[in-house]
Amino acid sequence: MFPHPSYPNDHRVVELVGTTQTSSQSSRFDIGGPGPWDSSVPKAKTPWWRDAVCYEIYIRSFADADGDGVGDMAGIERRLPYLADLGVDAIWITPFYPSPQKDHGYDVADYCDVETRFGTLADFDAMLARAHDLGIRVIIDVVPNHTSSEHPWFADALAAGPDSPERERFVFRDGKGVEGNEPPNNWLSIFGGAAWTREYDADARPAQWYLHMFDSTQPDLNWHNPAVGDDFEAILRFWLDRGVDGFRIDVAHGLFVPDDLADTLTGDETTIFHQPEVHEVYRRWRRVLEEYDGDRMAVAEAWTDSPETTASYIRPDELHQAFNFHWLLAEWSAEAFRGVVTRTLEAVGLVGGSATWVLSNHDVVRHVTRYGGGDLGRARGRAALLTMLALPGSSYLFQGEELGLEQVDVAPEHRQDPAYFRGGAVGRDGCRVPLPWGGSRPPYDFGPGAGQPWLPQPSDWTAQSVSAQSADPDSMLSFYQRALAARGEVAHGLDDSVHLLDSAPGTFAFRRGDDLVCVVNCGPEPAALPDEAGDVILASSPLVEPRALPPDTAAWFRARTPR
Ligand code: GLC
């Protein structure tokens, strides 16, 4: 797991949610009621994103059309039919803008173009049109917290020198101590080390310092400067005019830092991010999005210490969604799942919003590995998927989870992640290894090239490939297809109410709407089903006894006692 507080570890979250309800207390617990979970909300009026299944494409590692070992826009376009067959409603594509790729695209040198190694704007338009033809919406990443140090804004700021309007776009300060040799404060980069780097003046003398909460090649923008807000409105409009359906907002909680730049107790971002001013930015963005037709939306990447703080980003005049990282961070336990679900639904209910669910992304250890790896991890991964798909709200999948991919142990000499070089974290390269599409050796049809792609693939991925799994009805891929199809048939038609059910120790059970019961068994023994569970709709592993759920399994049932 990425170790920084921004990506907190499981235990903090489990402790936090463990206070809400324990398995022994699990009485009938009604989260329904007025607002968005009221069954009277007509489904026809539900905006598409509210219950969409969205698939994250990490562009470098999805599909490579030109054979350079790096994924690209044409590769995405070519593989869209696969995603349509999988049954996703939308894709989110990680940054594909011109970039020196120091943080693999999260260092943007031009917000309104396409990086040559990924293609051209015309390739983007073609991909977008094809996605829309297939009924797939497209969300793109916007990176407003920082630019690349190769962005012309930063080059101009360096050239213009201290106290210039160009420098006001970023956070430049004189250093402390003798000759300003020490950084302006004690803040730490999320990737490790100081959050400040010193620049040199025209005579090559050490000069001012600039703030970067991530890599030194990712200078933070100064959102207190109104010009920055105006630029980002123009950037959003550029892509909205081209037809994108939404934005994933990178480090959405980080845009503002305290104006006084005072030292903080720990120096880490927990007390630096989440400044109140950031909400005004999202109110403005909401107004921009609403000028366009087609329910355009935005989803926040905001790492928070509570579901309530996450919900503060989705108040009615702000963003539409925020990733529910508390679900991703919950350990494999009925108590943790129950706690996160309860608190999430309560928190989003308070602001009249809707939930999201996510198990993996390009910044964290893949969930099959987190859940124990191998067959155990895959069984739990299936069960966790089925559980989240039964809940109201939308689900985000990360490419490769439908293949049951595990975290790869990338050898030190192949590691690419700036977080590794700055802070020694090894978690992120291992989830970003290019996908295996077919064949029996690297690059497994990732692209037409012969050798290893940009991050080497393991030699034992033959059975994991899309083509191998497509032929096998018991594969993870076939299960994902069945689960997404079942969600389309069953869960989409239900109202958003969730009622927790009394269930056996080690299990978490709830009824969604009138018709669906979902039970997940996180305990070590087969567990008796709750009375409300009728006929099986879909199970993540076969039910060996008719009224018992095996360990590490979830299942959907028709509800026996409709309200
Ligand atoms: C977000 C991205 C991550 C990136 C960081 C800096 O957390 O998901 O990949 O390194 O922001 O942009």
Coordinates of all heavy atoms in Angstrom, one line a residue, residues 378 403-409 433 436 438-442 444 452 456-465 468-469:
R378 N -8.5 -13.9 -5.1 CA -9.4 -13.8 -6.2 C -10.8 -14.1 -5.8 O -11.8 -13.4 -6.2 CB -9.0 -14.8 -7.4 CG -7.9 -14.1 -8.3 CD -7.7 -15.0 -9.5 NE -6.9 -16.2 -9.1 CZ -5.6 -16.2 -9.0 NH1 -4.9 -15.2 -9.3 NH2 -5.0 -17.4 -8.7
L403 N -9.5 -9.3 -14.9 CA -8.7 -10.5 -15.2 C -8.1 -11.1 -13.9 O -7.4 -12.1 -13.9 CB -7.5 -10.1 -16.1 CG -7.9 -9.4 -17.4 CD1 -6.6 -9.0 -18.2 CD2 -8.8 -10.2 -18.3
G404 N -8.4 -10.5 -12.8 CA -7.9 -11.0 -11.5 C -6.4 -10.8 -11.3 O -5.8 -11.5 -10.6
L405 N -5.9 -9.8 -12.0 CA -4.5 -9.5 -11.9 C -4.1 -9.2 -10.5 O -4.8 -8.6 -9.7 CB -4.0 -8.4 -12.8 CG -4.2 -8.6 -14.3 CD1 -3.5 -7.5 -15.1 CD2 -3.6 -9.9 -14.8
E406 N -2.9 -9.7 -10.1 CA -2.3 -9.4 -8.8 C -1.2 -8.3 -9.0 O -0.7 -8.1 -10.1 CB -1.7 -10.7 -8.3 CG -2.7 -11.7 -7.9 CD -2.1 -12.7 -6.9 OE1 -1.7 -12.3 -5.9 OE2 -2.2 -13.9 -7.2
Q407 N -0.8 -7.8 -7.9 CA 0.3 -6.8 -7.9 C 1.5 -7.6 -8.4 O 1.8 -8.7 -8.0 CB 0.5 -6.4 -6.4 CG 1.4 -5.2 -6.2 CD 0.8 -3.9 -6.6 OE1 -0.4 -3.9 -7.1 NE2 1.5 -2.8 -6.5
V408 N 2.3 -6.9 -9.3 CA 3.5 -7.5 -9.8 C 4.7 -7.0 -9.0 O 4.7 -5.8 -8.6 CB 3.7 -7.2 -11.3 CG1 5.0 -7.7 -11.8 CG2 2.5 -7.7 -12.1
D409 N 5.6 -7.9 -8.7 CA 6.8 -7.5 -7.9 C 7.8 -6.9 -9.0 O 8.6 -7.7 -9.6 CB 7.3 -8.7 -7.2 CG 8.5 -8.3 -6.2 OD1 8.7 -7.1 -6.1 OD2 9.1 -9.2 -5.7
V433 N 1.4 -2.6 -14.5 CA 2.1 -3.4 -15.5 C 1.1 -3.6 -16.7 O -0.1 -3.9 -16.4 CB 2.5 -4.8 -14.9 CG1 3.0 -5.7 -16.0 CG2 3.6 -4.5 -13.9
P436 N -2.3 -8.1 -20.2 CA -2.1 -9.3 -21.1 C -3.4 -9.5 -21.9 O -4.5 -9.8 -21.4 CB -1.8 -10.4 -20.2 CG -2.6 -10.1 -18.9 CD -2.7 -8.6 -18.9
G438 N -3.4 -11.6 -24.9 CA -3.5 -12.9 -25.5 C -2.0 -13.4 -25.7 O -1.1 -12.8 -25.2
G439 N -1.9 -14.6 -26.3 CA -0.5 -15.1 -26.6 C 0.0 -15.7 -25.3 O -0.6 -15.8 -24.3
S440 N 1.3 -16.2 -25.5 CA 1.8 -17.0 -24.4 C 3.2 -16.4 -23.9 O 3.9 -17.1 -23.1 CB 2.0 -18.4 -24.8 OG 2.8 -18.5 -26.0
R441 N 3.5 -15.3 -24.3 CA 4.7 -14.6 -23.8 C 4.6 -13.1 -23.9 O 3.8 -12.6 -24.7 CB 6.0 -15.2 -24.5 CG 6.2 -14.7 -25.9 CD 7.5 -15.2 -26.5 NE 7.4 -16.6 -26.8 CZ 7.0 -17.1 -28.0 NH1 6.7 -16.2 -29.0 NH2 6.9 -18.3 -28.2
P442 N 5.4 -12.4 -23.1 CA 5.3 -10.9 -23.2 C 5.6 -10.5 -24.6 O 6.4 -11.1 -25.3 CB 6.4 -10.5 -22.3 CG 6.6 -11.6 -21.3 CD 6.3 -12.8 -22.0
Y444 N 2.3 -10.3 -24.6 CA 0.9 -10.9 -24.5 C -0.1 -10.1 -25.3 O -1.2 -9.7 -24.8 CB 0.4 -10.9 -23.0 CG 1.3 -11.8 -22.2 CD1 2.2 -11.3 -21.2 CD2 1.2 -13.2 -22.2 CE1 2.9 -12.1 -20.4 CE2 1.9 -14.0 -21.4 CZ 2.8 -13.5 -20.5 OH 3.6 -14.3 -19.7
Q452 N 9.4 -6.8 -24.2 CA 8.7 -6.4 -23.0 C 8.2 -4.9 -23.2 O 8.9 -4.1 -23.7 CB 9.6 -6.4 -21.7 CG 9.9 -7.8 -21.2 CD 8.7 -8.4 -20.4 OE1 7.6 -7.8 -20.4 NE2 8.9 -9.5 -19.7
P456 N 8.0 -4.5 -17.4 CA 8.0 -5.9 -17.8 C 6.8 -6.7 -17.2 O 6.5 -6.5 -16.0 CB 9.3 -6.4 -17.3 CG 9.9 -5.4 -16.5 CD 9.2 -4.1 -16.6
Q457 N 6.3 -7.5 -18.0 CA 5.2 -8.4 -17.6 C 5.8 -9.7 -17.0 O 6.8 -10.2 -17.5 CB 4.2 -8.7 -18.8 CG 3.5 -7.5 -19.3 CD 3.0 -7.7 -20.7 OE1 3.7 -8.3 -21.6 NE2 1.7 -7.3 -20.9
P458 N 5.1 -10.3 -16.1 CA 5.5 -11.6 -15.6 C 5.5 -12.7 -16.7 O 4.7 -12.6 -17.6 CB 4.5 -12.0 -14.5 CG 3.8 -10.7 -14.2 CD 3.8 -9.9 -15.4
S459 N 6.3 -13.7 -16.5 CA 6.4 -14.8 -17.5 C 5.2 -15.8 -17.4 O 5.0 -16.6 -18.2 CB 7.7 -15.5 -17.4 OG 7.8 -16.0 -16.1
D460 N 4.4 -15.7 -16.3 CA 3.3 -16.6 -16.1 C 1.9 -16.0 -16.3 O 1.0 -16.4 -15.6 CB 3.4 -17.3 -14.7 CG 3.3 -16.2 -13.6 OD1 3.3 -15.0 -13.9 OD2 3.3 -16.6 -12.4
W461 N 1.8 -15.1 -17.2 CA 0.5 -14.4 -17.4 C -0.3 -15.0 -18.5 O -1.4 -14.5 -18.9 CB 0.7 -12.9 -17.6 CG 0.6 -12.1 -16.4 CD1 0.5 -12.6 -15.1 CD2 0.5 -10.7 -16.3 NE1 0.4 -11.5 -14.2 CE2 0.4 -10.3 -15.0 CE3 0.5 -9.6 -17.3 CZ2 0.2 -9.0 -14.5 CZ3 0.4 -8.3 -16.8 CH2 0.3 -8.0 -15.5
T462 N 0.1 -16.1 -19.1 CA -0.6 -16.7 -20.3 C -2.1 -17.0 -19.9 O -3.0 -16.5 -20.7 CB 0.0 -18.0 -20.7 OG1 1.4 -17.7 -21.0 CG2 -0.6 -18.6 -22.0
A463 N -2.3 -17.6 -18.8 CA -3.7 -18.0 -18.4 C -4.5 -16.8 -18.0 O -5.7 -16.9 -17.8 CB -3.7 -19.1 -17.4
Q464 N -3.8 -15.7 -17.7 CA -4.5 -14.5 -17.2 C -5.0 -13.6 -18.4 O -5.8 -12.6 -18.1 CB -3.6 -13.6 -16.4 CG -2.8 -14.3 -15.3 CD -3.6 -14.3 -14.1 OE1 -4.6 -15.1 -14.0 NE2 -3.3 -13.5 -13.1
S465 N -4.6 -13.9 -19.6 CA -4.9 -13.0 -20.7 C -6.4 -13.0 -21.0 O -7.1 -13.9 -20.7 CB -4.1 -13.4 -21.9 OG -4.7 -14.5 -22.6
A468 N -7.4 -16.0 -23.2 CA -7.5 -17.2 -22.4 C -8.8 -17.2 -21.5 O -9.5 -18.2 -21.5 CB -6.3 -17.4 -21.5
Q469 N -9.0 -16.1 -20.9 CA -10.2 -16.1 -20.0 C -11.5 -16.0 -20.7 O -12.5 -16.4 -20.1 CB -10.0 -14.9 -19.0 CG -8.8 -15.0 -18.1 CD -9.0 -14.2 -16.8 OE1 -10.1 -14.0 -16.3 NE2 -7.9 -13.6 -16.4

